[in-house]
Amino acid sequence: KQWYQRRVRDKAPNHATCSENFYREQVEGELKQRSSSRENQEKMMSILQREHGSADLDDEEEEVSLTELIKELNIKSENELWEMLTKTEKDAFIKSLKTGSITTLLKPRELWWMKESIIYKPTKTAKLEKLSLKPPSEFMQYLVLYVSLCYVHVELMFPDKKDVLLDYWSTFSTLWNQDMVYTTTEAACIAYSDAACTSSINQFVAPGDVIKNTCTLLKRGGLAAERVCCEIVSTLSKVHKVQPLTKSDYTKKKKKLQFFASWCLSAYAECLRSLPLELEIYISRLENENRNFENAVSSGLHSGSTAPTGPLIEEIPGV
């Protein structure tokens, strides 16, 4: 498995051509047989190591990317690569997907709310008074918090939403229940975590990571929260052009998000300043409770007593 990750091409011109052809014939022969047995893999490794042993170790090594090697070998599907793995390697790969550890192999994304300086001008949204004659709800900050949690989730899940626009919006819609009202920071976080954990959309995103990222985003203030709402409106409009929603559904969602955006720039949005601190307290409390639970289980096992049969709290993955 590891031979294609760091393959060394000989610098000697006469040896390079024949050895390259030899490598190709051996590998393509193995692929055609689709054999994933350890015996065949060890045989291939032995052949390659024997050939590479004749190379001048003092020469500069050239690393070939995995993508380039796959193209050279003319592998037609992921299944062919998958069949080359042993059962142990397949199990390890599946485990890394479930635990999220596979993300450590990915290049970290540069999320806009993580940058030290954000140059962002508010969009030309209508003033709050023109959008509604009624005063905003006293719980508006928690509605904005929930929308921000959903936004951060899909941003983490879909690095390039241009290529997966419909999936991006479908996931956001699954998370965002626009008819719910949340009265505390904790209520909004629990509602989001429940929505994420009761569906298959959290397979690559831990709710705990989302909450921490949202905390960082909201530290940027009302402008950052307004950007969130405006970007969602923009995505909604693009989706509506590709796959039209019903007129009533589209109008309802758009007006509500525009109202949120306007609220974020109004005097009412001063209460947003307290959300990051409330989120930090919430995260800290969960981490402490989870740590206490783990210690209680560990102490019970060491003392020989029966361990608790269920969690003392509702754990949030990733926190």
Side-chain angles (χ1 to χ4, degrees), residues 9-287:
R9 290 181 176 175
D10 298 309
K11 297 297 181 180
N14 295 331
H15 181 69
T17 302
C18 60
S19 62
E20 180 71 13
N21 292 335
F22 179 79
Y23 299 153
R24 188 185 300 279
E25 291 173 3
Q26 293 298 316
V27 174
E28 289 182 342
E30 291 293 326
L31 285 176
K32 289 178 181 179
Q33 296 177 13
R34 292 200 177 190
S35 172
S36 62
S37 68
R38 175 57 63 182
E39 180 181 356
N40 287 339
Q41 290 193 2
E42 290 178 350
K43 178 182 176 182
M44 186 185 295
M45 283 297 299
S46 176
I47 292 172
L48 293 172
Q49 288 172 353
R50 188 165 59 251
E51 283 296 312
H52 281 220
S54 62
D56 185 357
L57 298 179
D58 293 331
D59 286 342
E60 181 182 358
E61 295 183 353
E62 178 182 355
E63 183 176 343
V64 183
S65 69
L66 177 59
T67 302
E68 181 182 344
L69 287 171
I70 292 175
K71 289 181 179 178
E72 289 180 5
L73 296 174
N74 195 29
I75 295 176
K76 298 179 180 179
S77 69
E78 294 86 349
N79 289 335
E80 291 188 38
L81 281 175
W82 181 252
E83 291 303 322
M84 292 181 66
L85 303 179
T86 64
K87 184 179 184 302
T88 301
E89 290 167 340
K90 291 177 180 178
D91 291 343
F93 179 77
I94 293 173
K95 182 179 179 181
S96 69
L97 286 178
K98 292 181 177 179
T99 60
S101 61
I102 196 171
T103 57
T104 59
L105 303 176
L106 303 176
K107 182 180 179 179
R109 288 185 60 205
E110 191 176 21
L111 302 165
W112 64 263
W113 58 83
M114 299 295 289
K115 297 179 181 178
E116 292 185 6
S117 59
I118 300 176
I119 301 176
Y120 177 70
K121 297 181 180 179
T123 56
K124 295 181 180 180
T125 55
K127 290 186 177 180
L128 197 63
E129 297 77 15
K130 293 184 178 181
L131 294 176
S132 176
L133 297 176
K134 298 179 180 180
S137 167
E138 59 180 312
F139 304 120
M140 271 295 299
Q141 68 266 36
Y142 304 120
L143 297 176
V144 171
L145 167 60
Y146 193 88
V147 169
S148 299
L149 288 166
C150 299
Y151 168 82
V152 170
H153 184 110
V154 290
E155 284 291 308
L156 292 175
M157 188 171 178
F158 300 102
D160 189 357
K161 62 183 175 185
K162 294 180 181 178
D163 297 332
V164 287
L165 185 63
L166 295 180
D167 289 334
Y168 180 99
W169 179 254
S170 175
T171 302
F172 179 83
S173 298
T174 301
L175 290 170
W176 181 38
N177 186 337
Q178 59 182 328
D179 297 321
M180 288 294 294
V181 175
Y182 311 102
T183 58
T184 64
T185 295
E186 182 176 359
C189 290
I190 291 176
Y192 155 72
S193 299
D194 288 345
C197 293
T198 54
S199 62
S200 60
I201 60 179
N202 71 323
Q203 53 185 330
F204 297 119
V205 181
D209 291 337
V210 171
I211 294 174
K212 290 177 181 178
N213 270 276
T214 304
C215 180
T216 301
L217 185 154
L218 291 176
K219 285 180 179 179
R220 302 292 184 177
L223 270 178
E226 192 248 2
R227 174 173 177 170
V228 168
C229 298
C230 290
E231 286 195 7
I232 298 171
V233 171
S234 176
T235 301
L236 172 61
S237 299
K238 292 175 183 177
V239 169
H240 187 58
K241 291 179 181 178
V242 177
Q243 186 175 296
L245 289 71
T246 62
K247 186 176 180 180
S248 60
D249 188 33
Y250 173 72
T251 302
K252 182 180 180 182
K253 285 183 169 67
K254 186 175 181 178
K255 285 186 174 181
K256 181 163 288 191
L257 290 167
Q258 288 176 334
F259 183 81
F260 288 175
S262 296
W263 180 88
C264 290
L265 299 181
S266 71
Y268 294 102
E270 281 296 315
C271 56
L272 281 176
R273 294 178 179 273
S274 65
L275 284 182
L277 178 59
E278 292 177 20
L279 284 170
E280 288 177 344
I281 294 173
Y282 175 70
I283 292 170
S284 178
R285 180 169 60 81
L286 284 177
E287 289 176 338

